[in-house]
Amino acid sequence: MRVVVQGSELAAATAAAALASVGHRVTWQPHAGQPWVELEQADWLTREPELIAQLEAACRDGALTIGDTKAESAAELTEIDILWLALAPDQRDAAQAAVEQLAARQSAPLVVINNSTFPVGETERLEALMGHAGQVAVALPDMLEEGRAWQVFTRPVRWLLGSEDTRATDQVRELLRAFNRRSEVFQCMPRRAAELTKLAINGMLATRISYMNDIAGLADTLGVDVEHVRQGMGADTRIGYEYLYPGCGFGGPNFSRDLMRLADVQSASGRGSALLSQVLDINEHKKETLFRKLWAYFQGQLEGRTVAIWGAAFKPGTARIDHAPVLPLLEALWAQGVKVRLHDPAALHALRDRVGEHPLLTLCEGDPYAACQGADALMLVTEWKCYWNPDWRLLGSLLGERLILDGRNIFDPDFVAGRGLVYRGIGRRANP
């Protein structure tokens, strides 16, 4: 099929590469505010496993064209089969303009795939901009995971397909047939239902995380190891283990904005959700939990101390720090005059762009232990695999107060304490 992909999101880059890799003729048009000349240097894209290599291979083979000039814009293209929109929430005008202009030039049937995080009902509004019955819009909400985008797209567990048009449904199924061979992955439903389902899924996942974080706080108060509680809850088949790991808060551009979009949808409908508000409040409160544990340990005497931080990205496998727990944590530490030495395998560039050259911040590249030199305590914020099995003897010699604050509960408290260090996790603790 002849496909135009519009947008500068991870979803756009992944769709362009994946569709071209299976024989479709694809033109990828990045958003004007984020042209390809900038995108190809972006850490979040270059560090996404396999993606850059797949984009380059598709361009070499001639299956993919990446265009930033007006002459190559979607508005100038005619007689295509699919317009794939993967735009940011604040780029609705760009989506509407592309649909209006392309539909006006197109005499052949056209399917617009809304893969963007737009308000519920936007797919129907896009279809209303088109000219005739052969031009249809369907919803295909973005289900990608950063750090696994290529794998999730090419070996999907499910696609939520919102369509009330049989011909459009068949065309989307044909478009993605190469990725639907192992088992049936399409869940077909009306367009608004698909849009709302995507938001509802992330709302449920966030609720599980925040509930578990709330229980971890209670476990701390009662002197209970929350790991016993987590395992007991997960063993109940009605609950399961997924998203039951307490931590120092979640972040990320897609997850966070989906939650805000769900809150907006509920507010606009006149059905504001007290539950979702509490979920978001708990998460923001949890982002400072490591600071509060540090404060309690040193009884508020923090000025002049130095803390090492391992991890800045909002999750392992990405270079992004959007809504990451490290950001409010840094602000809280700096407000008390605490010096920070921070290591992250991928996100240092993004953090430097975000906070600049702060006098209380030292960014440490390469060796994670360099961040611990001269530090009183170590805070684990992002559970990169390179942090899971540290040299405890070396850490004990580097950390002045031998304090480990584990924001992801990846270490064994008793093992750490057995090495002569003080361990504080999320609902877990152990002393030497």
Side-chain angles (χ1 to χ4, degrees):
M1 295 187 195
R2 294 162 295 175
V3 182
V4 169
V5 177
Q6 187 167 36
S8 294
E9 299 288 284
L10 177 60
T14 307
L19 294 175
S21 75
V22 294
H24 298 297
R25 313 304 292 180
V26 181
T27 297
W28 176 22
Q29 182 64 43
H31 187 264
Q34 298 165 297
W36 174 242
V37 69
E38 295 179 8
L39 282 178
E40 64 179 338
Q41 303 298 325
D43 283 347
W44 63 264
L45 181 57
T46 59
R47 292 181 181 274
E48 186 68 35
E50 299 189 64
L51 190 49
I52 285 292
Q54 293 290 343
L55 286 168
E56 292 173 346
C59 288
R60 285 195 306 270
D61 294 343
L64 173 63
T65 301
I66 302 176
D68 287 328
T69 67
K70 183 177 185 300
E72 296 166 320
S73 70
E76 297 294 329
L77 297 169
T78 58
E79 307 308 325
I80 67 170
D81 300 297
I82 301 288
L83 173 59
W84 183 294
L85 300 174
L87 292 152
D90 59 352
Q91 295 170 349
R92 291 169 62 195
D93 290 347
Q96 293 173 7
V99 169
E100 283 184 313
Q101 294 166 4
L102 186 55
R105 295 172 181 272
Q106 177 110 351
S107 59
L110 171 69
V111 175
V112 173
I113 295 178
N114 178 18
N115 189 227
S116 311
T117 304
F118 288 158
V120 174
E122 187 67 14
T123 305
E124 295 173 10
R125 287 186 282 270
L126 291 173
E127 182 173 288
L129 300 174
M130 296 190 284
H132 58 75
Q135 298 177 341
V136 181
V138 302
L140 193 72
D142 172 17
M143 306 295 285
L144 297 184
E145 301 174 28
E146 294 212 26
R148 299 180 60 246
W150 179 260
Q151 179 182 352
V152 170
F153 194 106
T154 58
R155 299 176 69 85
V157 174
R158 69 188 184 284
W159 285 105
L160 298 175
L161 175 57
S163 173
E164 291 98 347
D165 185 280
T166 302
R167 185 189 64 81
T169 299
D170 291 343
Q171 189 154 349
V172 174
R173 294 176 68 92
E174 176 62 23
L175 176 75
L176 298 171
R177 180 168 53 85
F179 314 119
N180 189 35
R181 295 194 67 192
R182 291 186 303 162
S183 61
E184 176 59 45
V185 298
F186 284 99
Q187 291 181 274
C188 297
M189 59 188 71
R191 289 173 289 192
R192 289 193 177 208
E195 293 166 339
L196 181 57
T197 298
K198 165 64 187 309
L199 301 181
I201 288 171
N202 280 344
M204 174 61 80
L205 297 180
T207 300
R208 286 174 66 96
I209 295 170
S210 287
Y211 179 72
M212 202 64 213
N213 279 334
D214 216 21
I215 292 297
L218 179 60
D220 257 339
T221 301
L222 298 176
V224 172
D225 186 342
V226 75
E227 180 64 9
H228 297 304
V229 181
R230 185 191 70 80
Q231 291 185 14
M233 291 174 64
D236 189 318
T237 56
R238 298 169 298 176
I239 298 174
Y241 291 99
E242 294 297 320
Y243 286 80
L244 276 191
Y245 294 92
C248 57
F250 56 78
N254 295 328
F255 200 52
S256 299
R257 71 190 180 195
D258 278 356
L259 296 177
M260 297 309 299
R261 184 68 60 193
L262 180 57
D264 290 344
V265 169
Q266 291 178 318
S267 178
S269 70
R271 299 178 58 87
S273 171
L275 174 60
L276 186 57
S277 295
Q278 283 294 309
V279 167
L280 295 170
D281 287 346
I282 290 170
N283 186 56
E284 291 306 307
H285 183 71
K286 211 65 183 178
K287 289 179 180 180
E288 293 187 0
T289 189
L290 294 183
F291 170 78
R292 290 191 294 272
K293 289 178 180 294
L294 185 76
W295 175 280
Y297 186 83
F298 290 113
Q299 298 180 332
Q301 304 302 308
L302 296 182
E303 187 172 1
R305 293 196 177 275
T306 300
V307 169
I309 292 180
W310 280 358
F314 78 88
K315 61 178 279 188
T318 182
R320 293 196 202 244
I321 60 168
D322 307 63
H323 307 284
V326 76
L327 297 174
L329 175 59
L330 286 174
E331 293 295 337
L333 291 169
W334 292 338
Q336 297 298 318
V338 177
K339 298 176 183 177
V340 176
R341 297 176 59 82
L342 189 146
H343 177 273
D344 187 282
L348 293 186
H349 185 269
L351 187 63
R352 186 180 290 111
D353 288 346
R354 178 65 176 265
V355 305
E357 299 295 330
H358 196 284
L360 294 177
L361 176 64
T362 300
L363 299 180
C364 303
E365 300 184 19
D367 183 7
Y369 299 100
C372 301
Q373 293 177 2
D376 296 299
L378 169 64
M379 292 180 169
L380 187 287
V381 177
T382 310
E383 66 274 30
W384 289 94
K385 290 302 183 184
C386 62
Y387 300 147
W388 279 68
N389 292 283
D391 184 334
W392 294 111
R393 188 173 300 168
L394 178 57
L395 278 180
S397 68
L398 292 174
L399 299 175
E401 297 291 335
R402 305 173 68 85
L403 174 62
I404 304 292
L405 298 170
D406 181 1
R408 299 300 174 186
N409 286 0
I410 67 171
F411 304 134
D412 183 290
D414 293 331
F415 186 89
V416 175
R419 296 304 179 272
L421 292 98
V422 180
Y423 177 90
R424 299 289 184 269
I426 309 300
R428 312 191 76 191
R429 61 182 292 158
N431 294 319

